[in-house]
Amino acid sequence: MHNTLKKVFGFQSFRPNQETIIKNILEKKDVFAVMPTGGGKSLCYQLPARMMNGTTVVISPLISLMKDQVDAAIENGMSAAFLNSSLSTQEMSDVYKRLKENDLELLYIAPERFAMPGFLETLKSLPISLFAIDEAHCVSEWGHDFRPDYLSLCNLTRTFPHIPVSAFTATATQKVQRDIINKIALRSPYIIRASFNRQNLFYQVKSKAGLEAQIIGFLKEHADEPGIIYRTTRDSVTKLTEFLVDQGISALPYHAGLSPEERKNNQEAFSRDRVTIIVATIAFGMGIDKSNVRFVIHADLPKNIEGYYQETGRAGRDGETANCLLFFGRQDIPKIRYFIDQMPNENERTVSMDKLNKSVKYASHNVCRRRQLLEYFDEKYLEENCGACDICMGDVEKVDITTDAQIVMSAISRTGQYFGIGHIIDIVAGADTKRIRELQHNEIKTYGAGKHKAKKHWQFIVDELLAQEAIAQDGGQYPVLILTKKGTDILLGREEIEGLKREEIRKKPKAFKVSGFEPYDEVLFDKLRVLRKRLAEEHKVPPYIIFSDMTLHEMCVYYPSTLDEIITISGVGDTKLKSYGIDFTKEIKAHLDKNPDISIPEREPVAPSVNTPRQKMTGGTIEKTYELSREGLSIKEIAKARNLATSTITGHLESLIKDGRDVAIDRLIDPAKRNTIEEMFLTLKTWHTAPIVENSNGTISYDDAKLVRAYVQQKQS
Ligand code: ADP
Ligand code: MG
């Protein structure tokens, strides 16, 4: 298994659960696996496909995805094909011919084919090793993506009693899981429920205020990173795309109103890195396996958490850090409620309303976003601080807001629980509006009771009360505020309430540190990215299929410039070595020749784990640097004494600092300068050194930036 893993896929180690799943499949057991997006489900059936005799049949719901999946397998040197309605009769019969000759390891099929008369009979006569059902939640009416076509898979285990069946999905509550297992009639399956936690995703919610400027601000910090921006309506997709393009940003729209042709082209442009950003309705994404999506922005409130989790899940499949940013504005709630109110079925309305409320709670509740998402999927999250969401990374400080809460709730109560947020805030703030005068609300006791504080503050209080369910919104398109039992208790002084000291968070967000993120040569990365794109165009496949971002990052740490070296990089298997080894090593060699100062870290002889792309440099040489630094030598002096490049010494010191060793940072870099650089990292919200150096008018070197980065990261951890 390990041998195949390296030779075919180029990976040194398995991701969590892959190994046991594959072992069970090889023992011909049925398997049911829930693994998050990016968890590496494909490998769980592709690797057995190579090892077992016969063809592995993969059932996959999306024709648009099949070609890329097959191309990716072929790039890894597997024999693979697909059968779907997009093929001509000739192509179709070629595939059948290869099947009969046992010349296919992998065959991708759309589910509807199983309902076609005679198809199962045809399959029966072929040497099939395994059925793998991808996106298996589509078989369940309880899931969020039910597809009637999947029901034709229900006969599979009866028709093929001796062939193992595996089912994979990224989303299934316990209820959906039971339903899937029953429907497909899996035979005492081996069940894996992996954690839904996507450690490499950073979750963040911002109040929506001047959306376009907010988005531009984000994109400035994330220039050239491929990302998806979700909007609710076609119209807002069109407008936002136009705005971005006007601002010189490479973006294309995607929504159900475009012609199939346009949609296909835009999706392809995105997956092939020809356009950086796709602005889309939720119609976009089911058919996308692009692994290097670096961020997903929700510019409007999602209707439910399932959808939100799925959409954000499209970020960072390659395991590298990615951002999920939601812009939350209460004005979005009535818009969604309006649609819910149109639903004919009462039960459906109740369920949807409940889901919407949970989504609002996610956005406005001061609880770790990751914890909320995981708990939604019935998973207990035990960490105190997830380290990768805005709540956990902010300086969360709670204050007593009982008095302010009482002011707001008194205004609600005195006006008969009959008015919406805007009007209640106007009363509290003592606004002089026509409506207030007409209703004589300037005569109630609470009028103007909060005029010494900004309206924005009262908005915060209302949000907080809604989030903590002291008040609720009631009614259709123009919801009014009402008190809950909890709210009444607070109003009557029977209970107190605390809220987040909001302003504090925004001031000093700590920078984001996730495991797996390690520094790499950004200049080389850009060069390799260009090369990857060129080769992708030549080979007519999406760039991420050639090498993932993670693979490129690793190349930008170890600078493999020979074929012997590049084969040790995670993601470089035998076939890719043959196809791309020469091009990539050449580019890296050229980069090294141009930059003689670059020092290449040595690798430990042990097989590296995929999650920590950068290995510790061998101990001895670092220790030597440590000793000399302890003796008080400067970087230059150490470099000279050891006959090494200064950048090498900086690299040593970086890892010493990160390891929490006693390095006298003040001697290496002036404290004032250190503070400046620290501030820059925090305000620019990046761990990349390039923006720091570029913003410093030549006063900060890469080495300075690297040392301070190590210092700050150590301090934070
Ligand atoms: P899923 O279908 O579960 O969402 P994929 O099968 O598309 O995930 O895999 C996501 C990414 O992870 C792909 O780029 C894949 O090459 C990579 N990957 C899978 N297994 C491993 C592994 N053992 N080591 C490193 N990368 C892996
Ligand atoms: Mg998948």
mmCIF file of all heavy atoms in Angstrom, residues 5 11 13-15 18 35-43 134 289 291 317-318 548 570 610, ligand 1:
data_model
loop_
_atom_site.group_PDB
_atom_site.id
_atom_site.type_symbol
_atom_site.label_atom_id
_atom_site.label_comp_id
_atom_site.label_asym_id
_atom_site.label_seq_id
_atom_site.Cartn_x
_atom_site.Cartn_y
_atom_site.Cartn_z
ATOM 1 N N LEU A 5 1.179 4.098 -2.848
ATOM 2 C CA LEU A 5 0.907 5.489 -2.467
ATOM 3 C C LEU A 5 1.989 6.418 -3.021
ATOM 4 O O LEU A 5 1.705 7.467 -3.587
ATOM 5 C CB LEU A 5 0.844 5.608 -0.941
ATOM 6 C CG LEU A 5 0.526 6.993 -0.387
ATOM 7 C CD1 LEU A 5 -0.902 7.402 -0.725
ATOM 8 C CD2 LEU A 5 0.728 7.043 1.127
ATOM 9 N N PHE A 11 2.670 10.405 -2.676
ATOM 10 C CA PHE A 11 2.575 10.807 -1.265
ATOM 11 C C PHE A 11 3.359 9.854 -0.368
ATOM 12 O O PHE A 11 3.391 8.651 -0.609
ATOM 13 C CB PHE A 11 1.121 10.836 -0.798
ATOM 14 C CG PHE A 11 0.249 11.758 -1.614
ATOM 15 C CD1 PHE A 11 -1.007 11.360 -2.039
ATOM 16 C CD2 PHE A 11 0.696 13.028 -1.949
ATOM 17 C CE1 PHE A 11 -1.812 12.199 -2.790
ATOM 18 C CE2 PHE A 11 -0.103 13.879 -2.699
ATOM 19 C CZ PHE A 11 -1.356 13.463 -3.125
ATOM 20 N N SER A 13 2.790 9.646 3.038
ATOM 21 C CA SER A 13 2.004 9.047 4.123
ATOM 22 C C SER A 13 0.513 9.247 3.858
ATOM 23 O O SER A 13 0.117 10.124 3.085
ATOM 24 C CB SER A 13 2.387 9.685 5.452
ATOM 25 O OG SER A 13 2.242 11.066 5.366
ATOM 26 N N PHE A 14 -0.289 8.443 4.551
ATOM 27 C CA PHE A 14 -1.723 8.538 4.375
ATOM 28 C C PHE A 14 -2.292 9.672 5.207
ATOM 29 O O PHE A 14 -1.747 10.029 6.245
ATOM 30 C CB PHE A 14 -2.400 7.227 4.792
ATOM 31 C CG PHE A 14 -2.191 6.125 3.798
ATOM 32 C CD1 PHE A 14 -1.297 5.098 4.045
ATOM 33 C CD2 PHE A 14 -2.903 6.127 2.598
ATOM 34 C CE1 PHE A 14 -1.104 4.083 3.111
ATOM 35 C CE2 PHE A 14 -2.716 5.121 1.667
ATOM 36 C CZ PHE A 14 -1.812 4.096 1.917
ATOM 37 N N ARG A 15 -3.380 10.205 4.755
ATOM 38 C CA ARG A 15 -4.137 11.135 5.582
ATOM 39 C C ARG A 15 -4.943 10.306 6.574
ATOM 40 O O ARG A 15 -5.134 9.103 6.370
ATOM 41 C CB ARG A 15 -5.088 11.941 4.692
ATOM 42 C CG ARG A 15 -4.365 12.927 3.783
ATOM 43 C CD ARG A 15 -4.881 14.328 4.055
ATOM 44 N NE ARG A 15 -4.182 15.324 3.258
ATOM 45 C CZ ARG A 15 -4.720 15.924 2.200
ATOM 46 N NH1 ARG A 15 -5.934 15.608 1.804
ATOM 47 N NH2 ARG A 15 -4.052 16.837 1.550
ATOM 48 N N GLN A 18 -7.405 7.070 5.811
ATOM 49 C CA GLN A 18 -7.261 6.475 4.472
ATOM 50 C C GLN A 18 -6.774 5.031 4.562
ATOM 51 O O GLN A 18 -7.285 4.143 3.885
ATOM 52 C CB GLN A 18 -6.284 7.292 3.620
ATOM 53 C CG GLN A 18 -6.864 8.588 3.093
ATOM 54 C CD GLN A 18 -5.864 9.383 2.270
ATOM 55 O OE1 GLN A 18 -4.652 9.345 2.512
ATOM 56 N NE2 GLN A 18 -6.365 10.125 1.293
ATOM 57 N N MET A 35 -16.052 11.675 5.361
ATOM 58 C CA MET A 35 -14.794 12.409 5.532
ATOM 59 C C MET A 35 -14.989 13.806 4.974
ATOM 60 O O MET A 35 -15.657 13.972 3.959
ATOM 61 C CB MET A 35 -13.668 11.723 4.754
ATOM 62 C CG MET A 35 -13.120 10.479 5.422
ATOM 63 S SD MET A 35 -12.214 9.497 4.221
ATOM 64 C CE MET A 35 -10.613 10.290 4.266
ATOM 65 N N PRO A 36 -14.404 14.803 5.608
ATOM 66 C CA PRO A 36 -14.645 16.168 5.133
ATOM 67 C C PRO A 36 -14.089 16.384 3.733
ATOM 68 O O PRO A 36 -13.233 15.619 3.275
ATOM 69 C CB PRO A 36 -13.901 17.035 6.150
ATOM 70 C CG PRO A 36 -12.875 16.147 6.741
ATOM 71 C CD PRO A 36 -13.475 14.777 6.731
ATOM 72 N N THR A 37 -14.575 17.432 3.094
ATOM 73 C CA THR A 37 -14.034 17.823 1.802
ATOM 74 C C THR A 37 -12.528 18.001 1.925
ATOM 75 O O THR A 37 -12.060 18.572 2.899
ATOM 76 C CB THR A 37 -14.651 19.164 1.381
ATOM 77 O OG1 THR A 37 -16.048 19.075 1.592
ATOM 78 C CG2 THR A 37 -14.367 19.466 -0.049
ATOM 79 N N GLY A 38 -11.817 17.522 0.949
ATOM 80 C CA GLY A 38 -10.368 17.643 1.003
ATOM 81 C C GLY A 38 -9.722 16.574 1.866
ATOM 82 O O GLY A 38 -8.507 16.531 2.009
ATOM 83 N N GLY A 39 -10.539 15.709 2.429
ATOM 84 C CA GLY A 39 -9.995 14.660 3.291
ATOM 85 C C GLY A 39 -9.260 13.570 2.519
ATOM 86 O O GLY A 39 -8.537 12.769 3.098
ATOM 87 N N GLY A 40 -9.458 13.561 1.196
ATOM 88 C CA GLY A 40 -8.776 12.570 0.380
ATOM 89 C C GLY A 40 -9.590 11.311 0.172
ATOM 90 O O GLY A 40 -9.080 10.196 0.288
ATOM 91 N N LYS A 41 -10.858 11.483 -0.181
ATOM 92 C CA LYS A 41 -11.709 10.316 -0.381
ATOM 93 C C LYS A 41 -11.349 9.581 -1.675
ATOM 94 O O LYS A 41 -11.350 8.357 -1.708
ATOM 95 C CB LYS A 41 -13.185 10.738 -0.405
ATOM 96 C CG LYS A 41 -13.667 11.217 0.968
ATOM 97 C CD LYS A 41 -15.143 11.528 0.986
ATOM 98 C CE LYS A 41 -15.491 12.861 0.355
ATOM 99 N NZ LYS A 41 -14.984 14.033 1.090
ATOM 100 N N SER A 42 -11.020 10.324 -2.726
ATOM 101 C CA SER A 42 -10.744 9.667 -4.008
ATOM 102 C C SER A 42 -9.653 8.618 -3.871
ATOM 103 O O SER A 42 -9.740 7.535 -4.431
ATOM 104 C CB SER A 42 -10.305 10.670 -5.069
ATOM 105 O OG SER A 42 -10.862 11.915 -4.858
ATOM 106 N N LEU A 43 -8.625 8.976 -3.116
ATOM 107 C CA LEU A 43 -7.510 8.043 -2.980
ATOM 108 C C LEU A 43 -7.953 6.726 -2.342
ATOM 109 O O LEU A 43 -7.404 5.670 -2.626
ATOM 110 C CB LEU A 43 -6.418 8.709 -2.144
ATOM 111 C CG LEU A 43 -5.078 7.995 -2.116
ATOM 112 C CD1 LEU A 43 -3.970 8.971 -2.445
ATOM 113 C CD2 LEU A 43 -4.806 7.371 -0.767
ATOM 114 N N ASP A 134 -19.473 7.780 -4.763
ATOM 115 C CA ASP A 134 -19.018 9.075 -4.264
ATOM 116 C C ASP A 134 -20.249 9.955 -4.009
ATOM 117 O O ASP A 134 -21.295 9.741 -4.606
ATOM 118 C CB ASP A 134 -18.098 9.719 -5.308
ATOM 119 C CG ASP A 134 -17.075 10.643 -4.670
ATOM 120 O OD1 ASP A 134 -17.098 10.786 -3.435
ATOM 121 O OD2 ASP A 134 -16.243 11.209 -5.413
ATOM 122 N N ASP A 289 -13.610 20.653 -8.278
ATOM 123 C CA ASP A 289 -12.677 19.917 -7.441
ATOM 124 C C ASP A 289 -11.364 20.679 -7.303
ATOM 125 O O ASP A 289 -10.404 20.147 -6.781
ATOM 126 C CB ASP A 289 -12.377 18.550 -8.084
ATOM 127 C CG ASP A 289 -12.942 17.420 -7.238
ATOM 128 O OD1 ASP A 289 -13.485 17.722 -6.166
ATOM 129 O OD2 ASP A 289 -12.831 16.265 -7.649
ATOM 130 N N SER A 291 -8.290 22.322 -6.232
ATOM 131 C CA SER A 291 -7.756 22.125 -4.880
ATOM 132 C C SER A 291 -7.142 23.394 -4.290
ATOM 133 O O SER A 291 -6.947 23.492 -3.101
ATOM 134 C CB SER A 291 -6.735 20.997 -4.869
ATOM 135 O OG SER A 291 -5.519 21.432 -5.432
ATOM 136 N N ARG A 317 -8.768 22.588 -0.251
ATOM 137 C CA ARG A 317 -8.777 21.131 -0.346
ATOM 138 C C ARG A 317 -7.378 20.548 -0.277
ATOM 139 O O ARG A 317 -7.186 19.404 0.106
ATOM 140 C CB ARG A 317 -9.340 20.697 -1.702
ATOM 141 C CG ARG A 317 -10.806 20.557 -1.742
ATOM 142 C CD ARG A 317 -11.209 20.289 -3.170
ATOM 143 N NE ARG A 317 -12.646 20.246 -3.256
ATOM 144 C CZ ARG A 317 -13.358 19.121 -3.267
ATOM 145 N NH1 ARG A 317 -12.761 17.957 -3.226
ATOM 146 N NH2 ARG A 317 -14.660 19.160 -3.335
ATOM 147 N N ASP A 318 -6.419 21.323 -0.727
ATOM 148 C CA ASP A 318 -5.049 20.800 -0.755
ATOM 149 C C ASP A 318 -4.428 20.757 0.637
ATOM 150 O O ASP A 318 -3.304 20.324 0.808
ATOM 151 C CB ASP A 318 -4.172 21.640 -1.699
ATOM 152 C CG ASP A 318 -4.268 23.122 -1.394
ATOM 153 O OD1 ASP A 318 -4.807 23.505 -0.326
ATOM 154 O OD2 ASP A 318 -3.805 23.931 -2.232
ATOM 155 N N SER A 548 -0.383 20.066 -6.827
ATOM 156 C CA SER A 548 -1.179 20.919 -5.946
ATOM 157 C C SER A 548 -0.311 22.059 -5.409
ATOM 158 O O SER A 548 0.920 22.014 -5.511
ATOM 159 C CB SER A 548 -1.727 20.107 -4.780
ATOM 160 O OG SER A 548 -0.676 19.791 -3.894
ATOM 161 N N SER A 570 6.407 15.444 -1.864
ATOM 162 C CA SER A 570 5.069 14.887 -1.740
ATOM 163 C C SER A 570 4.209 15.330 -2.917
ATOM 164 O O SER A 570 4.129 16.527 -3.209
ATOM 165 C CB SER A 570 4.447 15.357 -0.427
ATOM 166 O OG SER A 570 3.113 14.945 -0.377
ATOM 167 N N VAL A 610 2.859 14.328 5.389
ATOM 168 C CA VAL A 610 2.308 15.333 4.475
ATOM 169 C C VAL A 610 1.866 16.596 5.175
ATOM 170 O O VAL A 610 1.825 17.648 4.583
ATOM 171 C CB VAL A 610 1.094 14.801 3.695
ATOM 172 C CG1 VAL A 610 1.549 14.002 2.520
ATOM 173 C CG2 VAL A 610 0.165 14.032 4.602
HETATM 174 P P1 ADP B 1 -12.287 14.750 -1.157
HETATM 175 O O1 ADP B 1 -12.868 13.998 -2.318
HETATM 176 O O2 ADP B 1 -12.314 13.975 0.102
HETATM 177 O O3 ADP B 1 -12.858 16.112 -0.994
HETATM 178 P P2 ADP B 1 -9.911 14.615 -2.706
HETATM 179 O O4 ADP B 1 -9.925 13.163 -2.929
HETATM 180 O O5 ADP B 1 -10.337 15.486 -3.842
HETATM 181 O O6 ADP B 1 -10.760 14.985 -1.426
HETATM 182 O O7 ADP B 1 -8.473 15.022 -2.185
HETATM 183 C C1 ADP B 1 -8.151 16.356 -1.845
HETATM 184 C C2 ADP B 1 -6.691 16.643 -2.081
HETATM 185 O O8 ADP B 1 -5.883 15.928 -1.150
HETATM 186 C C3 ADP B 1 -6.211 16.224 -3.454
HETATM 187 O O9 ADP B 1 -5.415 17.285 -3.957
HETATM 188 C C4 ADP B 1 -5.397 14.982 -3.178
HETATM 189 O O10 ADP B 1 -4.382 14.801 -4.128
HETATM 190 C C5 ADP B 1 -4.828 15.260 -1.809
HETATM 191 N N1 ADP B 1 -4.486 14.054 -1.050
HETATM 192 C C6 ADP B 1 -5.232 12.945 -0.896
HETATM 193 N N2 ADP B 1 -4.596 12.037 -0.132
HETATM 194 C C7 ADP B 1 -3.411 12.580 0.214
HETATM 195 C C8 ADP B 1 -2.292 12.140 0.994
HETATM 196 N N3 ADP B 1 -2.272 10.949 1.577
HETATM 197 N N4 ADP B 1 -1.248 12.976 1.115
HETATM 198 C C9 ADP B 1 -1.273 14.185 0.522
HETATM 199 N N5 ADP B 1 -2.279 14.662 -0.214
HETATM 200 C C10 ADP B 1 -3.338 13.873 -0.377
#
